[in-house]
Amino acid sequence: MGVVSGSPASVSASGGGGGGGAADKQAAFAKGLEGVIGGQTGVCSIEQDKLIYRGYEIHDLAEHATFEEVAFLLLEGHKPSPAELARFKAEVVAERALHPAATAFIESAGGWLASGRAVPMDVLRTAVSILGHTDVDCQDNSPSANLRKAKRLLAKIPTIIGHMQCVIDGRAIIGRELGGAPDLDHAANLLYLMTGKRPSKDEAKVMDVSLILYAEHEFNASTFTTRVIAGTLSDMHSAVAGGIGALKGPLHGGANEMAMEMLKEIVKDIGEDGIGSAKVDAWMEQAFVSKRKLMGFGHRVYRNGDHRAGILMGLGKKMAGTLTGTFGGLPALKWFALGEQVQGIMLAKKKIFPNVDFPCGMTYFTMRIPVPQYTPIFVAARITGWAAHISEQHADNRLIRPLSIYTGPALKKWNG
Ligand code: SDX
């Protein structure tokens, strides 16, 4: 494992994998592996001034590509020709339906979901494991088998999410045989599976772009988790189950749900009339005093803002401007007005920028997507990045095994 120049020197393992001396170890120690380069990848590059997926910049992709094209780019490694894209889409559509065992599990999970014993991310994690049991290629880590499994997971994760929502709502499962509507593109079909309604063009477009923005992000915690698991030569379904476990956390993917809950908490505390007033400043000041982590803000890598946040904020706000009715008791644009006010205070007082999860919360909320499904939808996008990294790790592998500094009791005799 290498380290960035100017940061602690790496500690070369001596002989049978032992570490260097205590001083060397202390010098090389970086809590949370902050600033440590953990590998090489051709999938994604994150810089302070740009985010690139296999050579294409995120604004370019968000404006000109579809999620299916980006999924092909990440999984197959190049921009698809029209013929390649048509084949890829047909393959994914054909794989959307779930094995009856997976559907039966989801139907049986209604009680755990209703009691809160399980949240959708937990049920998604278990359902993905069942998909592994029903996948003929499960134990095969070859590039061709990994690609087949990646397409099946890409196809089926929206179906798991949709079936779960039908069970939560007490509605009949939609798409039991076909996994949705074959004529609908990926993003639109995800929404159809959840609601039973064919989404508007606007809704489908906003969902499609959000999936592009969520698809890949280099060595983030969940992707690195999948690489650590793949690095032991374990299989893709095991790695993806681990990735789901990592992404669930509120410091990572779970922040999109928590960001919306935070905005709802602010409105509950200050009332709709408080939006735009100094009451928001006072609420934020109280949060600062109590050292509260405000969800949807900050980033381990980005120090001058998350390139994706502005894209989704703009799209979500534009769509909100076309919506009538109320959402959680407020007009759609009121949520964005509050969001912009919170963003402004965070920047002015803490110099902390929003990350992609902040605008995601408001956008999905005004699309009437249930909050507990926000992070599962993140998985429906990130499966493309995870699968690309898992395949890359398998193709050029070295077991990932960092060192540690011992802080436990000094040496002593058991019968001393
Ligand atoms: C994602 O890595 C990726 O690429 C992830 C991701 C992806 O696409 O895969 O981009 C997706 O996970 C985005 C991040 C989502 N998480 C959140 O929004 C949760 C809230 N954010 C924070 O917990 C935090 O910003 C992290 C975890 C995201 C990053 O934290 P770091 O790099 O460990 O920074 P830190 O916690 O050490 O904070 C540095 C300072 C601290 O102040 P001091 O204690 O030094 O005085 O900034 C403060 C922090 O308190 N700070 C915050 C804050 N984030 C940082 N203060 C309040 N609210 C916040 N959100």
Side-chain angles (χ1 to χ4, degrees):
M1 174 148 334
V3 288
V4 286
S5 60
S7 75
S10 71
V11 175
S12 54
S14 53
D24 289 349
K25 278 190 165 185
Q26 196 60 48
F29 175 44
K31 196 165 183 180
L33 298 184
E34 182 157 9
V36 171
I37 292 182
Q40 293 174 295
T41 179
V43 181
C44 175
S45 167
I46 299 179
E47 304 292 340
Q48 296 308 329
D49 62 346
K50 56 181 169 305
L51 166 60
I52 290 175
Y53 296 176
R54 295 202 192 277
Y56 295 92
E57 198 274 332
I58 195 63
H59 289 83
D60 188 7
L61 293 171
E63 190 174 343
H64 301 116
T66 64
F67 174 65
E68 283 96 331
E69 288 173 316
V70 170
F72 184 101
L73 170 70
L74 290 170
L75 294 179
E76 306 232 19
H78 63 273
K79 179 182 175 184
S81 66
E84 286 174 321
L85 181 63
R87 168 184 58 76
F88 181 79
K89 287 173 76 170
E91 286 172 352
V92 172
V93 169
E95 285 284 4
R96 284 173 172 172
L98 298 188
H99 186 285
T103 305
F105 161 70
I106 294 167
E107 288 176 306
S108 74
W112 294 319
L113 287 161
S115 69
R117 180 75 57 79
V119 296
M121 278 295 274
D122 304 326
V123 171
L124 175 57
R125 187 191 68 229
T126 305
V128 161
S129 293
I130 295 175
L131 292 186
H133 312 335
T134 64
D135 190 313
V136 290
D137 291 315
C138 186
Q139 310 305 336
D140 182 346
N141 293 342
S142 66
S144 54
N146 274 347
L147 183 54
R148 289 193 296 272
K149 289 186 282 188
K151 291 178 201 172
R152 292 179 191 129
L153 283 162
L154 171 64
K156 296 177 191 299
I157 285 171
T159 312
I160 293 170
I161 293 169
H163 287 8
M164 213 191 314
Q165 196 54 46
C166 291
V167 169
I168 290 168
D169 294 344
R171 289 182 281 119
I173 284 197
I174 294 156
R176 193 185 288 267
E177 285 72 37
L178 298 178
D183 64 308
L184 287 179
D185 283 341
H186 204 76
N189 192 56
L190 166 61
L191 293 169
Y192 170 71
L193 283 163
M194 292 179 74
T195 64
K197 298 189 199 81
R198 298 168 75 90
S200 69
K201 264 170 74 69
D202 275 0
E203 286 171 324
K205 177 64 180 169
V206 171
M207 178 50 72
D208 193 82
V209 175
S210 78
L211 296 179
I212 291 173
L213 298 177
Y214 267 143
E216 162 58 15
H217 216 235
E218 199 227 45
F219 278 22
N220 58 83
S222 56
T223 300
F224 195 67
T225 300
T226 64
R227 290 194 78 122
V228 169
I229 295 171
T232 70
L233 298 184
S234 185
D235 67 286
M236 181 171 284
H237 287 84
S238 298
V240 171
I244 293 170
L247 194 73
K248 170 187 176 183
L251 293 188
H252 190 15
N256 58 11
E257 297 177 14
M258 303 298 284
M260 191 60 223
E261 293 301 340
M262 179 183 75
L263 290 177
K264 288 160 68 179
E265 183 186 338
I266 294 174
V267 171
K268 186 165 144 287
D269 292 349
I270 67 170
E272 180 180 346
D273 300 342
I275 297 175
S277 78
K279 286 182 179 177
V280 178
D281 297 81
W283 193 95
M284 296 285 285
E285 190 49 40
Q286 182 50 44
F288 296 149
V289 165
S290 58
K291 289 253 179 229
R292 177 173 172 170
K293 282 275 194 289
L294 298 172
M295 295 293 132
F297 286 93
H299 201 274
R300 170 61 61 79
V301 177
Y302 291 128
R303 289 298 175 229
N304 309 309
D306 181 337
H307 309 302
R308 305 163 294 178
I311 298 172
L312 193 51
M313 190 65 161
L315 267 177
K317 188 178 172 187
K318 184 166 172 256
M319 185 184 64
T322 68
L323 301 175
T324 55
T326 58
F327 304 80
L330 296 187
L333 276 178
K334 271 279 186 183
W335 289 107
F336 284 85
L338 175 61
E340 285 175 332
Q341 190 178 0
V342 168
Q343 266 182 209
I345 296 165
M346 275 300 271
L347 202 50
K349 299 278 180 160
K350 289 280 192 178
K351 297 206 176 354
I352 295 177
F353 293 84
N355 55 57
V356 65
D357 291 326
F358 190 62
C360 173
M362 291 172 272
T363 300
Y364 285 0
F365 191 68
T366 53
M367 291 173 75
R368 299 198 192 281
I369 296 170
V371 173
Q373 294 283 24
Y374 293 4
T375 317
I377 293 172
F378 194 152
V379 174
R382 189 53 59 90
I383 182 60
T384 55
W386 288 342
H389 282 275
I390 291 163
S391 299
E392 188 178 62
Q393 186 72 35
H394 279 157
D396 176 18
N397 188 45
R398 181 151 177 72
L399 178 75
I400 297 170
R401 200 281 186 214
L403 296 173
S404 67
I405 292 173
Y406 176 65
T407 59
L411 192 61
K412 50 191 169 187
K413 289 280 182 218
W414 187 254
N415 296 321

